[in-house]
Amino acid sequence: MAAEALYNYKIKCPFCETTFETTRMRPSAVRVKEQQSDFGNIFEGECPYLYAITVCPNCSFAARNSDFEKIRVSAEAKIMSASKQLRVSTKPKPDIFKLGPSTPEVAVKRFELAIAFYKMRYVMEMGVLANMYLHLVWLWRMAGNKEKELLAIAQAAQVYEEYLAKAYTLPESLGEPGVIYLIGELYRLQGKLKEARRLFESGLGSKELRDYPKIAEMIRDKIAEIKADMEKNPQTA
Ligand SMILES: [Zn+2]
């Protein structure tokens, strides 16, 4: 099953023009077992998060699979200069370039590299960046590393707040209420119940709320959960 889910894909790095293979997961093999409160999924069988990033083994350029070949090289002077510097360094090839089944720890390294390159881009979409930070949360959770997961949650919350404050367009699937819900939930997961409650309540005040009935329900459930937790542990209130 796992062997069929994964395949190696031949691709050319747009910056150093090296042709190499990268392991990808077939979308048809993705089986969601459970959706978590921060939109992360638990999967049956292979996890697509482990195969979402392509990394060039020659110059280390890394991007989401969907962006890797689409990037306009002529517009990306900063990335070109990083690619040139990195391709002359003679460090041994780390496991981020390995083909075949991967692990959450390796996927974290790939995402971190993709984030670093994404920040060099001529035009950066905050939503894409925030979503990559959110993947770090899910990956550390998958790895069972609670400490790193909490650090990633704090970082993702910060990037999503910046996104909400500056973004012109929010993802249609979430809308303003969904993004506010997510930030609130990232606070709740850190045990910051007061901040979480403040955000959830502001989500209920969103003008777009009526277009997102499912999110509205999720927000109300979380407010009820927080109220119950605060009654049980009055020191958190
Ligand atoms: Zn390259």
Side-chain angles (χ1 to χ4, degrees), residues 13-18 20 56-61 83:
C13 174
F15 290 94
C16 72
E17 298 189 329
T18 298
F20 62 96
C56 169
N58 183 46
C59 76
S60 304
F61 170 62
S83 154

Side-chain angles (χ1 to χ4, degrees), residues 143-192:
N145 191 325
K146 196 75 201 155
E147 198 182 326
K148 292 269 175 66
E149 182 193 336
L150 277 171
L151 286 172
I153 287 174
Q155 203 170 27
Q158 198 190 334
V159 183
Y160 268 102
E161 279 191 299
E162 210 177 308
Y163 173 45
L164 184 67
K166 288 184 190 164
Y168 295 106
T169 49
L170 295 171
E172 210 179 314
S173 58
L174 296 179
E176 186 186 66
V179 174
I180 294 175
Y181 161 82
L182 177 59
I183 299 168
E185 181 59 5
L186 292 172
Y187 274 106
R188 196 189 66 81
L189 292 170
Q190 294 176 78
K192 296 180 176 176

Side-chain angles (χ1 to χ4, degrees), residues 5-25:
L6 303 178
Y7 66 101
N8 290 343
Y9 176 70
K10 204 179 238 183
I11 193 168
K12 189 174 177 182
C13 174
F15 290 94
C16 72
E17 298 189 329
T18 298
T19 301
F20 62 96
E21 284 195 309
T22 182
T23 298
R24 298 225 167 142
M25 181 172 176

